[in-house]
Amino acid sequence: MADHDAIRRYVDEVTVEPDPIERARAHALELGAAPVSPAVGAQIAVIAAATAALNIVEIGTGAGVSGLWLLRGSPRATLTTIDKEPEHLAAARAAFVDAKVPPARARFITGRAADVLPRMNEASYDIVLVDADEEGVIDYVEHGLRLVRAGGTVLIPRVLAGGAVADPVRRDAVTTAYRTLIQETQASPAVLGALSIAGEGLLQLTTVAAEQR
């Protein structure tokens, strides 16, 4: 376990974070809005770039760190980001201005994801990132899989719950939800799933067209 911790620290330390994202991270920590790690940020940027994503949804804005990483990977994309905390959204807006993200590239929605997501168009997005309300993660992922197009990807950071999912003794609701999510999606023919242990963990789910299953 100590070796794994050392590897994670090394990956985070060696990842170069652009200055605007570093400033957004510092502000997030001040607000208590835990941002994704640099290693996970770099991974989601690569996924956004590799898929040439143009339409992205983010559930859980924080202070803008993950959104900036996604737009770093795909600067032509439009990001719709949802958060119930106005203070977090205000911090993200400021971070996007600092990073010179054009206003047309970001849409900020204040509200509970459970209320907002059912009104969004299905099969209309390239990427959905789920980083909010751990207790509702399974519901949010289900919405995400509905919202992405065929071949689209749902990204779930923090899915290792600080290592708790690997501990069979842990049976709390959040750990059980993440464990169930990982197990069910790994066995599902409807998605291609990959689990990364970098940073706080990242589950990547890409939808498979019906004719390919």
Side-chain angles (χ1 to χ4, degrees), residues 99-119:
K100 297 181 172 53
V101 175
R105 295 292 181 212
R107 177 186 178 209
F108 299 87
I109 299 178
T110 306
R112 294 175 62 249
D115 298 328
V116 175
L117 295 172
R119 302 198 299 268

PDB file of all heavy atoms in Angstrom, residues 99-119:
ATOM      1  N   ALA A  99      -8.573  32.141 -17.055  1.00  0.00           N
ATOM      2  CA  ALA A  99      -7.974  31.257 -18.059  1.00  0.00           C
ATOM      3  C   ALA A  99      -8.302  31.683 -19.487  1.00  0.00           C
ATOM      4  O   ALA A  99      -7.925  30.997 -20.441  1.00  0.00           O
ATOM      5  CB  ALA A  99      -8.460  29.831 -17.827  1.00  0.00           C
ATOM      6  N   LYS A 100      -9.019  32.816 -19.608  1.00  0.00           N
ATOM      7  CA  LYS A 100      -9.387  33.359 -20.926  1.00  0.00           C
ATOM      8  C   LYS A 100     -10.256  32.388 -21.743  1.00  0.00           C
ATOM      9  O   LYS A 100     -10.115  32.289 -22.962  1.00  0.00           O
ATOM     10  CB  LYS A 100      -8.143  33.775 -21.716  1.00  0.00           C
ATOM     11  CG  LYS A 100      -7.357  34.901 -21.037  1.00  0.00           C
ATOM     12  CD  LYS A 100      -6.146  35.313 -21.839  1.00  0.00           C
ATOM     13  CE  LYS A 100      -5.487  36.553 -21.266  1.00  0.00           C
ATOM     14  NZ  LYS A 100      -5.159  36.452 -19.844  1.00  0.00           N
ATOM     15  N   VAL A 101     -11.140  31.666 -21.041  1.00  0.00           N
ATOM     16  CA  VAL A 101     -12.119  30.817 -21.725  1.00  0.00           C
ATOM     17  C   VAL A 101     -13.208  31.727 -22.269  1.00  0.00           C
ATOM     18  O   VAL A 101     -13.814  32.500 -21.509  1.00  0.00           O
ATOM     19  CB  VAL A 101     -12.734  29.789 -20.758  1.00  0.00           C
ATOM     20  CG1 VAL A 101     -13.844  29.000 -21.450  1.00  0.00           C
ATOM     21  CG2 VAL A 101     -11.654  28.849 -20.238  1.00  0.00           C
ATOM     22  N   PRO A 102     -13.487  31.698 -23.579  1.00  0.00           N
ATOM     23  CA  PRO A 102     -14.539  32.551 -24.138  1.00  0.00           C
ATOM     24  C   PRO A 102     -15.879  32.283 -23.453  1.00  0.00           C
ATOM     25  O   PRO A 102     -16.225  31.127 -23.188  1.00  0.00           O
ATOM     26  CB  PRO A 102     -14.580  32.143 -25.621  1.00  0.00           C
ATOM     27  CG  PRO A 102     -13.225  31.574 -25.892  1.00  0.00           C
ATOM     28  CD  PRO A 102     -12.809  30.898 -24.625  1.00  0.00           C
ATOM     29  N   PRO A 103     -16.654  33.328 -23.148  1.00  0.00           N
ATOM     30  CA  PRO A 103     -17.928  33.135 -22.451  1.00  0.00           C
ATOM     31  C   PRO A 103     -18.863  32.147 -23.148  1.00  0.00           C
ATOM     32  O   PRO A 103     -19.611  31.429 -22.476  1.00  0.00           O
ATOM     33  CB  PRO A 103     -18.530  34.541 -22.435  1.00  0.00           C
ATOM     34  CG  PRO A 103     -17.345  35.461 -22.507  1.00  0.00           C
ATOM     35  CD  PRO A 103     -16.347  34.757 -23.371  1.00  0.00           C
ATOM     36  N   ALA A 104     -18.806  32.084 -24.459  1.00  0.00           N
ATOM     37  CA  ALA A 104     -19.693  31.183 -25.194  1.00  0.00           C
ATOM     38  C   ALA A 104     -19.340  29.717 -24.988  1.00  0.00           C
ATOM     39  O   ALA A 104     -20.135  28.834 -25.345  1.00  0.00           O
ATOM     40  CB  ALA A 104     -19.657  31.521 -26.686  1.00  0.00           C
ATOM     41  N   ARG A 105     -18.161  29.443 -24.426  1.00  0.00           N
ATOM     42  CA  ARG A 105     -17.721  28.054 -24.244  1.00  0.00           C
ATOM     43  C   ARG A 105     -18.180  27.449 -22.918  1.00  0.00           C
ATOM     44  O   ARG A 105     -17.941  26.263 -22.684  1.00  0.00           O
ATOM     45  CB  ARG A 105     -16.191  27.981 -24.314  1.00  0.00           C
ATOM     46  CG  ARG A 105     -15.608  28.334 -25.654  1.00  0.00           C
ATOM     47  CD  ARG A 105     -15.960  27.300 -26.699  1.00  0.00           C
ATOM     48  NE  ARG A 105     -15.377  27.609 -27.988  1.00  0.00           N
ATOM     49  CZ  ARG A 105     -15.925  27.310 -29.146  1.00  0.00           C
ATOM     50  NH1 ARG A 105     -17.090  26.679 -29.169  1.00  0.00           N
ATOM     51  NH2 ARG A 105     -15.344  27.616 -30.275  1.00  0.00           N
ATOM     52  N   ALA A 106     -18.812  28.229 -22.057  1.00  0.00           N
ATOM     53  CA  ALA A 106     -19.200  27.709 -20.751  1.00  0.00           C
ATOM     54  C   ALA A 106     -20.603  28.178 -20.379  1.00  0.00           C
ATOM     55  O   ALA A 106     -20.931  29.355 -20.497  1.00  0.00           O
ATOM     56  CB  ALA A 106     -18.200  28.159 -19.691  1.00  0.00           C
ATOM     57  N   ARG A 107     -21.404  27.233 -19.932  1.00  0.00           N
ATOM     58  CA  ARG A 107     -22.769  27.507 -19.483  1.00  0.00           C
ATOM     59  C   ARG A 107     -22.880  27.035 -18.037  1.00  0.00           C
ATOM     60  O   ARG A 107     -22.651  25.856 -17.745  1.00  0.00           O
ATOM     61  CB  ARG A 107     -23.757  26.751 -20.376  1.00  0.00           C
ATOM     62  CG  ARG A 107     -25.212  26.875 -19.978  1.00  0.00           C
ATOM     63  CD  ARG A 107     -26.033  25.952 -20.858  1.00  0.00           C
ATOM     64  NE  ARG A 107     -27.450  25.972 -20.522  1.00  0.00           N
ATOM     65  CZ  ARG A 107     -28.264  24.952 -20.697  1.00  0.00           C
ATOM     66  NH1 ARG A 107     -27.799  23.810 -21.210  1.00  0.00           N
ATOM     67  NH2 ARG A 107     -29.536  25.049 -20.374  1.00  0.00           N
ATOM     68  N   PHE A 108     -23.202  27.940 -17.137  1.00  0.00           N
ATOM     69  CA  PHE A 108     -23.251  27.637 -15.711  1.00  0.00           C
ATOM     70  C   PHE A 108     -24.711  27.512 -15.266  1.00  0.00           C
ATOM     71  O   PHE A 108     -25.510  28.419 -15.489  1.00  0.00           O
ATOM     72  CB  PHE A 108     -22.556  28.736 -14.907  1.00  0.00           C
ATOM     73  CG  PHE A 108     -21.102  28.901 -15.246  1.00  0.00           C
ATOM     74  CD1 PHE A 108     -20.701  29.732 -16.287  1.00  0.00           C
ATOM     75  CD2 PHE A 108     -20.135  28.233 -14.525  1.00  0.00           C
ATOM     76  CE1 PHE A 108     -19.357  29.885 -16.595  1.00  0.00           C
ATOM     77  CE2 PHE A 108     -18.786  28.380 -14.825  1.00  0.00           C
ATOM     78  CZ  PHE A 108     -18.396  29.205 -15.869  1.00  0.00           C
ATOM     79  N   ILE A 109     -25.043  26.399 -14.637  1.00  0.00           N
ATOM     80  CA  ILE A 109     -26.411  26.168 -14.170  1.00  0.00           C
ATOM     81  C   ILE A 109     -26.391  25.969 -12.660  1.00  0.00           C
ATOM     82  O   ILE A 109     -25.719  25.072 -12.149  1.00  0.00           O
ATOM     83  CB  ILE A 109     -27.042  24.936 -14.847  1.00  0.00           C
ATOM     84  CG1 ILE A 109     -27.119  25.144 -16.359  1.00  0.00           C
ATOM     85  CG2 ILE A 109     -28.428  24.657 -14.274  1.00  0.00           C
ATOM     86  CD1 ILE A 109     -27.679  23.951 -17.113  1.00  0.00           C
ATOM     87  N   THR A 110     -27.147  26.818 -11.954  1.00  0.00           N
ATOM     88  CA  THR A 110     -27.283  26.674 -10.511  1.00  0.00           C
ATOM     89  C   THR A 110     -28.486  25.791 -10.203  1.00  0.00           C
ATOM     90  O   THR A 110     -29.599  26.084 -10.654  1.00  0.00           O
ATOM     91  CB  THR A 110     -27.488  28.048  -9.838  1.00  0.00           C
ATOM     92  OG1 THR A 110     -26.441  28.929 -10.231  1.00  0.00           O
ATOM     93  CG2 THR A 110     -27.494  27.900  -8.324  1.00  0.00           C
ATOM     94  N   GLY A 111     -28.267  24.711  -9.492  1.00  0.00           N
ATOM     95  CA  GLY A 111     -29.379  23.831  -9.150  1.00  0.00           C
ATOM     96  C   GLY A 111     -28.907  22.451  -8.777  1.00  0.00           C
ATOM     97  O   GLY A 111     -27.729  22.113  -8.941  1.00  0.00           O
ATOM     98  N   ARG A 112     -29.834  21.665  -8.247  1.00  0.00           N
ATOM     99  CA  ARG A 112     -29.537  20.279  -7.909  1.00  0.00           C
ATOM    100  C   ARG A 112     -29.496  19.456  -9.191  1.00  0.00           C
ATOM    101  O   ARG A 112     -30.396  19.545 -10.033  1.00  0.00           O
ATOM    102  CB  ARG A 112     -30.591  19.724  -6.959  1.00  0.00           C
ATOM    103  CG  ARG A 112     -30.614  20.377  -5.587  1.00  0.00           C
ATOM    104  CD  ARG A 112     -31.759  19.871  -4.734  1.00  0.00           C
ATOM    105  NE  ARG A 112     -31.641  18.429  -4.479  1.00  0.00           N
ATOM    106  CZ  ARG A 112     -32.457  17.520  -4.984  1.00  0.00           C
ATOM    107  NH1 ARG A 112     -33.440  17.858  -5.804  1.00  0.00           N
ATOM    108  NH2 ARG A 112     -32.285  16.239  -4.688  1.00  0.00           N
ATOM    109  N   ALA A 113     -28.468  18.648  -9.342  1.00  0.00           N
ATOM    110  CA  ALA A 113     -28.326  17.839 -10.556  1.00  0.00           C
ATOM    111  C   ALA A 113     -29.548  16.952 -10.766  1.00  0.00           C
ATOM    112  O   ALA A 113     -29.985  16.741 -11.902  1.00  0.00           O
ATOM    113  CB  ALA A 113     -27.064  16.991 -10.475  1.00  0.00           C
ATOM    114  N   ALA A 114     -30.125  16.439  -9.667  1.00  0.00           N
ATOM    115  CA  ALA A 114     -31.300  15.568  -9.780  1.00  0.00           C
ATOM    116  C   ALA A 114     -32.469  16.281 -10.420  1.00  0.00           C
ATOM    117  O   ALA A 114     -33.333  15.635 -11.055  1.00  0.00           O
ATOM    118  CB  ALA A 114     -31.693  15.045  -8.401  1.00  0.00           C
ATOM    119  N   ASP A 115     -32.527  17.606 -10.291  1.00  0.00           N
ATOM    120  CA  ASP A 115     -33.603  18.375 -10.913  1.00  0.00           C
ATOM    121  C   ASP A 115     -33.261  18.796 -12.335  1.00  0.00           C
ATOM    122  O   ASP A 115     -34.147  18.901 -13.189  1.00  0.00           O
ATOM    123  CB  ASP A 115     -33.892  19.630 -10.075  1.00  0.00           C
ATOM    124  CG  ASP A 115     -34.374  19.305  -8.671  1.00  0.00           C
ATOM    125  OD1 ASP A 115     -35.043  18.263  -8.503  1.00  0.00           O
ATOM    126  OD2 ASP A 115     -34.059  20.074  -7.748  1.00  0.00           O
ATOM    127  N   VAL A 116     -31.988  19.053 -12.587  1.00  0.00           N
ATOM    128  CA  VAL A 116     -31.560  19.589 -13.886  1.00  0.00           C
ATOM    129  C   VAL A 116     -31.423  18.485 -14.945  1.00  0.00           C
ATOM    130  O   VAL A 116     -31.871  18.641 -16.089  1.00  0.00           O
ATOM    131  CB  VAL A 116     -30.228  20.350 -13.741  1.00  0.00           C
ATOM    132  CG1 VAL A 116     -29.705  20.803 -15.110  1.00  0.00           C
ATOM    133  CG2 VAL A 116     -30.396  21.541 -12.801  1.00  0.00           C
ATOM    134  N   LEU A 117     -30.823  17.369 -14.581  1.00  0.00           N
ATOM    135  CA  LEU A 117     -30.481  16.340 -15.567  1.00  0.00           C
ATOM    136  C   LEU A 117     -31.676  15.767 -16.321  1.00  0.00           C
ATOM    137  O   LEU A 117     -31.583  15.532 -17.534  1.00  0.00           O
ATOM    138  CB  LEU A 117     -29.697  15.213 -14.887  1.00  0.00           C
ATOM    139  CG  LEU A 117     -28.320  15.620 -14.344  1.00  0.00           C
ATOM    140  CD1 LEU A 117     -27.712  14.493 -13.532  1.00  0.00           C
ATOM    141  CD2 LEU A 117     -27.381  16.014 -15.481  1.00  0.00           C
ATOM    142  N   PRO A 118     -32.817  15.525 -15.670  1.00  0.00           N
ATOM    143  CA  PRO A 118     -33.950  14.958 -16.427  1.00  0.00           C
ATOM    144  C   PRO A 118     -34.444  15.864 -17.559  1.00  0.00           C
ATOM    145  O   PRO A 118     -35.100  15.376 -18.484  1.00  0.00           O
ATOM    146  CB  PRO A 118     -35.039  14.786 -15.355  1.00  0.00           C
ATOM    147  CG  PRO A 118     -34.287  14.657 -14.075  1.00  0.00           C
ATOM    148  CD  PRO A 118     -33.114  15.589 -14.232  1.00  0.00           C
ATOM    149  N   ARG A 119     -34.112  17.150 -17.510  1.00  0.00           N
ATOM    150  CA  ARG A 119     -34.581  18.084 -18.542  1.00  0.00           C
ATOM    151  C   ARG A 119     -33.592  18.221 -19.702  1.00  0.00           C
ATOM    152  O   ARG A 119     -33.880  18.928 -20.669  1.00  0.00           O
ATOM    153  CB  ARG A 119     -34.816  19.468 -17.919  1.00  0.00           C
ATOM    154  CG  ARG A 119     -35.818  19.470 -16.763  1.00  0.00           C
ATOM    155  CD  ARG A 119     -36.330  20.862 -16.484  1.00  0.00           C
ATOM    156  NE  ARG A 119     -35.270  21.781 -16.100  1.00  0.00           N
ATOM    157  CZ  ARG A 119     -34.904  22.023 -14.837  1.00  0.00           C
ATOM    158  NH1 ARG A 119     -35.494  21.385 -13.844  1.00  0.00           N
ATOM    159  NH2 ARG A 119     -33.944  22.893 -14.571  1.00  0.00           N
TER     160      ARG A 119
END
